[in-house]
Amino acid sequence: MENIKENEFSKNILRIVNGSITAIILTLILLLVFAMILTYTDIKENTINPVIIVITGISILVGSSVSTLKIKKNGLINGFLVGLIYIITIYLISSITRTGFKLNFYSIIMMSVSTIMGMIGGIIGVNLK
């Protein structure tokens, strides 16, 4: 009985990590599309930050929904974990690749959006049939 619970726990952790990876891949694709739009249109550069926040939110919503589809319980917590893993990964990559990296108000907004959208996506994923 205990072995079954450990096996299920391992599968759930793997699903949460897969949801975070799905969100990161979706983010990369959507950012590439946005970069092309920025390059070939007259959209102002001051739209970059709001669009990045929206792309992040959508990606985490999708990733957390996908990850909790098969878990079918604790959508709020599992979705939160997807958003948390996503944002920690993004900030670790940013701190390694950018000099002068620092946390600011924009970073706090990104962290909030990530965790909230993760929780919402988790709830959606658990309740989808």
Side-chain angles (χ1 to χ4, degrees):
M1 182 73 169
E2 197 170 303
N3 192 21
I4 293 172
K5 285 184 180 182
E6 287 178 21
N7 191 22
E8 189 65 29
F9 179 76
S10 298
K11 285 182 182 179
N12 288 346
I13 294 295
L14 190 58
R15 289 176 182 136
I16 290 169
V17 171
N18 283 337
S20 298
I21 291 169
T22 300
I24 290 170
I25 291 170
L26 184 58
T27 298
L28 292 173
I29 293 168
L30 293 175
L31 286 177
L32 181 63
V33 169
F34 180 60
M36 287 192 273
I37 291 171
L38 266 178
T39 302
Y40 297 112
T41 63
D42 293 332
I43 294 177
K44 303 266 190 253
E45 287 187 24
N46 63 353
T47 61
I48 292 174
N49 284 345
V51 170
I52 289 173
I53 291 171
V54 169
I55 287 173
T56 298
I58 291 170
S59 298
I60 293 172
L61 185 74
V62 170
S64 61
S65 294
V66 167
S67 74
T68 57
L69 274 172
K70 292 184 180 176
I71 297 175
K72 290 294 182 194
K73 61 181 178 179
N74 298 327
L76 196 67
I77 295 168
N78 293 322
F80 172 80
L81 290 173
V82 170
L84 188 66
I85 291 169
Y86 173 95
I87 202 67
I88 288 172
T89 304
I90 295 299
Y91 279 109
L92 283 174
I93 292 169
S94 295
S95 65
I96 291 169
T97 59
R98 291 179 57 198
T99 57
F101 173 78
K102 61 182 176 188
L103 294 176
N104 54 24
F105 182 69
Y106 174 73
S107 302
I108 294 169
I109 291 173
M110 285 291 287
M111 288 179 207
S112 300
V113 167
S114 298
T115 54
I116 291 169
M117 293 306 281
M119 289 187 290
I120 292 170
I123 292 169
I124 292 170
V126 164
N127 289 305
L128 287 177
K129 295 184 183 199

